[in-house]
Amino acid sequence: DGGITQSPKYLFRKEGQNVTLSCEQNLNHDAMYWYRQDPGQGLRLIYYSQIVNDFQKGDIAEGYSVSREKKESFPLTVTSAQKNPTAFYLCASSIYELAQHFGDGTRLSIL
Amino acid sequence: GQQLNQSPQSMFIQEGEDVSMNCTSSSIFNTWLWYKQDPGEGPVLLIALYKAGELTSNGRLTAQFGITRKDSFLNISASIPSDVGIYFCAGQEAGTASKLTFGTGTRLQVTL
């Protein structure tokens, strides 16, 4: 079945450590997105990519980095510069009409 | 970045009741989307609206794209226990290609 796969489901990070969250889609969508969700809040855009080898910063990009080397993959790295990384991270993809389809998320916690 | 104002923030209703929620913005939007999120999962798209005044249904759900292009409404008729969850509106602001802005969510609880 087509869809978006995020892994791992749960991730723990030590202070000063970088971690990478995986997002893979087999929907043949051009655009992919990363969002952060905190309790009681909506989704905030971290980075997005409309095409392979190109990506743009969203509203809260500081402390995060991404790459888009393949159409189906859009990994997110949470760097040590992100001082409050504990959150639920959601990856999404879409074709031109913007109706974004989401993965099931990765919950990141700090040890 | 802007977040959309969504109301109510939460609601408790009895099974069988109808539900209404809305989403407003200070700026004009070209697209409105409504999502539902269950705990620990990603949001699932319910309804997409692309034209001012558009009224679209998906089973017991009906959503409308406000004619001012600054608001949208979602109605759920005859609620059932599995309607429990958080409902998010999202929209594409005019002049911001490929980016969505999300509302803060409406948490729905259904009692038997």
Side-chain angles (χ1 to χ4, degrees):
Chain A
D1 286 346
I4 301 173
T5 302
Q6 289 187 243
S7 62
K9 183 72 172 175
Y10 300 94
L11 187 59
F12 298 90
R13 192 192 91 169
K14 294 180 180 179
E15 294 285 347
Q17 188 179 51
N18 293 352
V19 290
T20 298
L21 283 61
S22 170
C23 179
E24 303 279 331
Q25 56 101 357
N26 60 5
L27 299 167
N28 201 33
H29 287 173
D30 288 313
M32 296 187 74
Y33 309 80
W34 274 105
Y35 292 90
R36 170 180 172 138
Q37 187 176 29
D38 293 287
Q41 296 192 31
L43 280 64
R44 293 184 290 168
L45 183 64
I46 304 172
Y47 269 97
Y48 65 105
S49 168
Q50 295 176 265
I51 198 169
V52 174
N53 292 323
D54 187 49
F55 49 84
Q56 287 79 41
K57 292 181 179 180
D59 300 318
I60 55 166
E62 186 175 350
Y64 300 97
S65 65
V66 294
S67 63
R68 187 83 187 279
E69 297 177 1
K70 297 185 295 183
K71 186 175 185 178
E72 59 270 23
S73 179
F74 191 40
L76 172 75
T77 297
V78 183
T79 75
S80 56
Q82 172 49 247
K83 297 307 177 187
N84 184 24
T86 297
F88 190 48
Y89 290 88
L90 287 159
C91 177
S93 70
S94 73
I95 52 178
Y96 59 88
E97 69 261 25
L98 284 177
Q100 295 179 12
H101 300 266
F102 285 83
D104 281 339
T106 293
R107 187 166 299 281
L108 176 63
S109 302
I110 299 302
L111 292 177
Chain B
Q2 174 183 195
Q3 283 203 323
L4 299 172
N5 295 316
Q6 205 172 330
S7 66
Q9 284 189 325
S10 63
M11 50 196 317
F12 291 81
I13 62 168
Q14 289 193 325
E15 185 177 5
E17 289 184 351
D18 296 343
V19 174
S20 292
M21 60 190 77
N22 66 70
C23 197
T24 60
S25 169
S26 58
S27 52
I28 290 174
F29 278 64
N30 291 333
T31 301
W32 287 98
L33 306 170
W34 284 92
Y35 288 88
K36 181 187 179 220
Q37 185 179 29
D38 292 325
E41 297 183 12
V44 174
L45 181 66
L46 300 173
I47 294 179
L49 303 160
Y50 299 106
K51 187 177 176 181
E54 182 180 354
L55 185 71
T56 298
S57 293
N58 178 8
R60 295 179 294 106
L61 278 62
T62 301
Q64 184 164 24
F65 192 139
I67 57 173
T68 65
R69 296 172 63 193
K70 292 183 178 181
D71 55 13
S72 181
F73 308 88
L74 176 69
N75 296 312
I76 305 173
S77 63
S79 59
I80 59 177
S82 62
D83 290 334
V84 166
I86 303 176
Y87 292 80
F88 288 101
C89 62
Q92 182 215 355
E93 188 175 351
T96 61
S98 299
K99 289 176 59 177
L100 288 180
T101 300
F102 280 80
T104 50
T106 293
R107 183 180 296 273
L108 179 63
Q109 305 264 46
V110 179
T111 57
L112 299 175

